[in-house]
Amino acid sequence: MVALLLLLLMVVGVGVGPLSLSPSQVLRSLGVGLGLSDSAAGVSPAQAAVVWETRLPRVLLAAMVGACLAIAGAALQGLFGNSLADAGVIGVTSGASLGAICAIVLGLHFFGEWTVPAAAFLAGMATTSLIYVLAKPGRKGGTVQILLVGIAVTAMTGSINGFFTYISSTTELEAITFWSMGSLNRASWESLAAGVPFFATGAILLLLLAKPLDVLALGERQAQHVGLNVARTRILLVVATSLVVGAAVALAGSIGFVGLVVPHIVRLAVGPLHRWLLPISALGGALMIVAADIGARTLNPPSEIPIGLFTGAVGGPFFLWLLSRKRTEMRS
């Protein structure tokens, strides 16, 4: 059901814009481009070019970024054993953003077009490792500990980002603004090609770790008793979440709360088993970002509203509700 709704919304997203296209025109353009149809009646060459060169890469990127953030959020909640863990809330997103911004401002090109995603991945992995060490599951403090660590990490990365903002040129400043607010306006087939290997590798690894995540929910000691290599599992989870978060940040900037909101909604619908939670969260995250991107492009035309504003507007109140719920559970 979620997959079907996502496909329908993606068709709508391809048709939305200054040059409006009906769903039938979008489908005909896609059919001709894929070689499934020889006729493009009712579709001009200009419309077909808009679909294939501009709209389709953007919608696919929105779906991939949403899937990255949501599946990472679900995995991080299992890793930390904390329902408030999310790449944005605990500082992983800001750490990955710092890596990408460093690559841009310092003019790094050691991996060619892969440099920015690679820098975001390395910084995201370092940040996730640091947060895990400082807020390791099982330590006293629980929710408060992980939130305090997230605040500290976000503050540190924010100060470094502020320094790069101060020394950056006008062009670099525009790029930094892009990273801090989140946007899909640089979507292209080339950016998709650069991000897909990171996303695919990380997502597949997380799906393979679904059962170990269920075992980790029993507690570290119990997981070891049933034969799980806890240390290796946690390392793999850190690497996999860093891959997908790094890919999302490198391609779309900092977009918060997707990994917090979507897994909770999915968990209420399908339960806590990660073999269902992870893939359905990925689909739900893709749905959320595609919908947010449609809103970003249509609410104030021809200007584009930063997509991070939409997710923040939804995720902020949801986060406060979760905190109040946590406090109620602790009192009872």
Side-chain angles (χ1 to χ4, degrees):
M1 183 64 181
V2 180
L4 179 60
L5 185 58
L6 174 61
L7 289 174
L8 292 175
L9 198 61
M10 289 175 71
V11 171
V12 173
V14 173
V16 168
L19 179 61
S20 182
L21 300 173
S22 67
S24 61
Q25 289 176 315
V26 171
L27 292 175
R28 281 197 293 268
S29 297
L30 294 176
V32 172
L34 294 173
L36 302 177
S37 173
D38 295 329
S39 174
V43 179
S44 68
Q47 291 172 328
V50 167
V51 168
W52 279 98
E53 300 301 326
T54 305
R55 304 270 180 85
L56 185 58
R58 183 181 181 118
V59 170
L60 291 175
L61 179 61
M64 188 178 76
V65 167
C68 283
L69 297 173
I71 197 172
L76 286 170
Q77 288 167 17
L79 172 64
F80 286 96
N82 194 308
S83 59
L84 294 177
D86 164 62
V89 173
I90 66 176
V92 177
T93 300
S94 61
S97 297
L98 176 60
I101 290 173
C102 286
I104 292 172
V105 176
L106 298 178
L108 303 179
H109 300 288
F110 48 86
F111 286 133
E113 64 179 9
W114 300 79
T115 300
V116 173
F121 158 65
L122 293 173
M125 185 169 65
T127 306
T128 306
S129 302
L130 175 64
I131 294 167
Y132 176 74
V133 170
L134 296 177
K136 188 175 181 179
R139 288 186 177 178
K140 294 182 179 180
T143 299
V144 175
Q145 179 78 7
I146 196 172
L147 290 179
L148 290 176
V149 170
I151 291 171
V153 169
T154 302
M156 289 188 296
T157 55
S159 65
I160 300 173
N161 285 341
F163 171 74
F164 280 117
T165 301
Y166 178 74
I167 65 172
S168 62
S169 64
T170 302
T171 302
E172 293 167 347
L173 186 60
E174 293 176 356
I176 291 175
T177 303
F178 160 77
W179 293 111
S180 63
M181 303 184 75
S183 176
L184 298 168
N185 60 7
R186 297 185 182 183
S188 65
W189 291 113
E190 290 75 16
S191 62
L192 273 173
V196 163
F198 290 89
F199 165 63
T201 304
I204 291 172
L205 184 55
L206 287 176
L207 293 175
L208 293 175
L209 291 170
K211 187 174 181 180
L213 275 169
D214 291 333
V215 177
L216 276 178
L218 301 174
E220 185 170 323
R221 181 172 298 177
Q222 290 82 353
Q224 289 175 338
H225 286 167
V226 299
L228 181 68
N229 189 327
V230 174
R232 185 182 67 180
T233 300
R234 294 196 186 282
I235 291 172
L236 290 174
L237 284 169
V238 167
V239 172
T241 53
S242 300
L243 277 169
V244 292
V245 172
V249 171
L251 297 176
S254 179
I255 300 175
F257 292 111
V258 178
L260 180 70
V261 174
V262 174
H264 275 280
I265 296 174
V266 174
R267 193 176 288 109
L268 292 174
V270 304
L273 289 178
H274 287 87
R275 64 176 179 175
W276 301 112
L277 180 63
L278 292 174
I280 298 177
S281 291
L283 291 174
L287 183 67
M288 181 178 180
I289 295 299
V290 170
D293 181 52
I294 292 174
R297 288 186 282 144
T298 57
L299 290 183
N300 188 34
S303 299
E304 178 185 322
I305 300 174
I307 198 168
L309 299 184
F310 283 87
T311 58
V314 174
F318 190 85
F319 182 62
L320 292 175
W321 175 76
L322 284 177
L323 283 176
S324 64
R325 183 181 175 184
K326 279 276 186 183
R327 185 174 61 179
T328 302
E329 291 175 353
M330 291 175 65
R331 287 179 177 177
S332 61

